[in-house]
Amino acid sequence: MKRSGSVIDGKKYFDEIAPKYDHLRGSEIWSSLLSSIGSFDHKGSPVLDIATGTGLFSVRLAAQGFHVLGLDRNPRMLMQAMRKAREQHCSFQAVLGSAEQLPLLGNSIAVMFSTNAVHHFDIREHFTEVQRVLRPRGYYVVYTRFREQNARSIWGRFFPHFSEKEIRLYKPEHFERLDQEFPELALESLDEFSFEKPFSRDRLLQVARQRKYSTFALYSEAEFRQAYATFSSRLNHWSDKFYLAEMGRIVFRRR
Ligand SMILES: C[S@@+](CC[C@H](N)C(=O)[O-])C[C@H]1O[C@@H](n2cnc3c(N)ncnc32)[C@H](O)[C@@H]1O
């Protein structure tokens, strides 16, 4: 998979994962996201979720009364989001488009966010667009796993080659550099946080088999089978009831 603007494998992966995505992913960042988004002045603008996927967070926000635009380049992922929004009768509008060419007017959005997705973007093209579309004193909140957090995760530690293959993820300093490159955007905060997840060997094996992360699309079939077998036997030695997952939260403010 190419580092940025990767359409081919990335598209195929998300096409296949779309119907089962919500069963594979956790939503532990929800309360943090809700309190961030709720704390900003929306100035009457909709909230924009960039690479909304199946609307795991954006449809939930819409169900809380926010008017949400959910943008994604994958129609199958977006269809899941639209289905959920219809079922919940909430104010969610799907937008087919790319993070590198936002189909929105300049200075039109006061609050935008992106979760678990920036490593898929061409980050410079994306930030050029963020700078253009965000209103003065507007906010952009990014939730992502940093590269070292990924290496320390249960996947990075026990699933062979997981962290070496996943070189798309950013380090905190990448975001600090963006702050220098984009003069209209100020890096407001950059935090790392962690949460415990209950350990279940069966569940971890099941989500690995179903290719929970797009990282698994970077393995050949034979490589994956071998790595899965090693992962499975390594998990036999896990004795705790929980494992730790980590995330980063980065907030940019338009000057
Ligand atoms: C791991 S999912 C994250 C979905 C959602 N934000 C969440 O947290 O559950 C990544 C999403 O990014 C989308 N995506 C990847 N590159 C993109 C791009 N350049 N522009 C728009 N969407 C993109 C994919 O189609 C996919 O739906």
Side-chain angles (χ1 to χ4, degrees):
M1 209 180 285
K2 273 206 296 149
R3 176 178 175 91
S4 59
S6 71
V7 181
I8 301 157
D9 293 350
K11 180 177 183 309
K12 185 164 172 277
Y13 171 79
F14 287 111
D15 276 353
E16 283 169 13
I17 211 81
K20 49 191 176 189
Y21 182 87
D22 286 10
H23 300 292
L24 297 175
R25 292 299 188 121
S27 49
E28 291 84 359
I29 62 172
W30 165 244
S31 54
S32 161
L33 178 71
L34 178 62
S35 67
S36 301
I37 301 301
S39 71
F40 300 135
D41 179 359
H42 293 231
K43 304 184 183 95
S45 105
V47 178
L48 173 66
D49 178 10
I50 303 171
T52 192
T54 59
L56 191 60
F57 299 108
S58 53
V59 172
R60 219 164 149 184
L61 270 179
Q64 296 274 328
F66 294 91
H67 174 41
V68 184
L69 297 181
L71 174 137
D72 203 282
R73 71 177 180 196
N74 188 297
R76 292 199 187 192
M77 295 289 276
L78 271 185
M79 273 162 60
Q80 298 293 327
M82 287 157 68
R83 178 186 52 76
K84 291 192 296 189
R86 258 195 319 274
E87 284 166 9
Q88 296 180 44
H89 306 285
C90 56
S91 180
F92 172 86
Q93 195 180 331
V95 181
L96 186 63
S98 91
E100 295 84 1
Q101 270 190 308
L102 299 174
L104 294 160
L105 295 175
N107 294 339
S108 60
I109 299 287
V111 179
M112 50 174 86
F113 71 96
S114 185
T115 54
N116 306 309
V118 278
H119 58 294
H120 294 289
F121 307 160
D122 178 315
I123 203 74
R124 291 208 163 70
E125 286 181 20
H126 173 58
F127 268 76
T128 303
E129 282 295 83
V130 169
Q131 190 170 252
R132 181 182 68 79
V133 167
L134 206 52
R135 284 189 192 167
R137 290 173 295 288
Y139 286 93
Y140 180 35
V141 188
V142 176
Y143 285 84
T144 185
R145 246 171 315 133
F146 293 129
R147 207 180 291 176
E148 286 78 8
Q149 293 177 328
N150 194 48
R152 288 192 295 262
S153 73
I154 198 162
W155 301 99
R157 288 165 60 202
F158 296 119
F159 203 97
H161 314 301
F162 193 83
S163 62
E164 299 129 61
K165 284 192 183 280
E166 191 45 276
I167 54 165
R168 299 169 300 174
L169 289 169
Y170 292 102
K171 299 179 179 192
E173 48 268 37
H174 285 125
F175 292 97
E176 284 156 3
R177 254 180 256 144
L178 289 170
D179 176 58
Q180 321 258 300
E181 273 181 52
F182 291 89
E184 294 303 321
L185 297 174
L187 178 61
E188 184 95 345
S189 63
L190 189 154
D191 314 299
E192 298 194 43
F193 60 97
S194 60
F195 41 92
E196 282 186 329
K197 296 182 77 142
F199 175 79
S200 155
R201 183 174 175 277
D202 287 350
R203 171 75 183 155
L204 285 163
L205 291 176
Q206 182 197 32
V207 298
R209 282 196 303 277
Q210 297 193 19
R211 311 292 203 270
K212 169 176 174 148
Y213 294 111
S214 65
T215 314
F216 294 127
L218 306 171
Y219 290 73
S220 70
E221 256 323 294
E223 263 180 332
F224 179 84
R225 267 200 304 277
Q226 204 174 15
Y228 175 86
T230 307
F231 181 60
S232 167
S233 73
R234 286 178 178 169
L235 289 186
N236 284 332
H237 306 295
W238 187 272
S239 53
D240 290 355
K241 289 197 164 55
F242 295 92
Y243 66 91
L244 210 63
E246 296 176 277
M247 286 287 282
R249 173 180 176 273
I250 308 111
V251 182
F252 284 91
R253 181 176 50 81
R254 171 86 152 75
R255 292 185 202 278

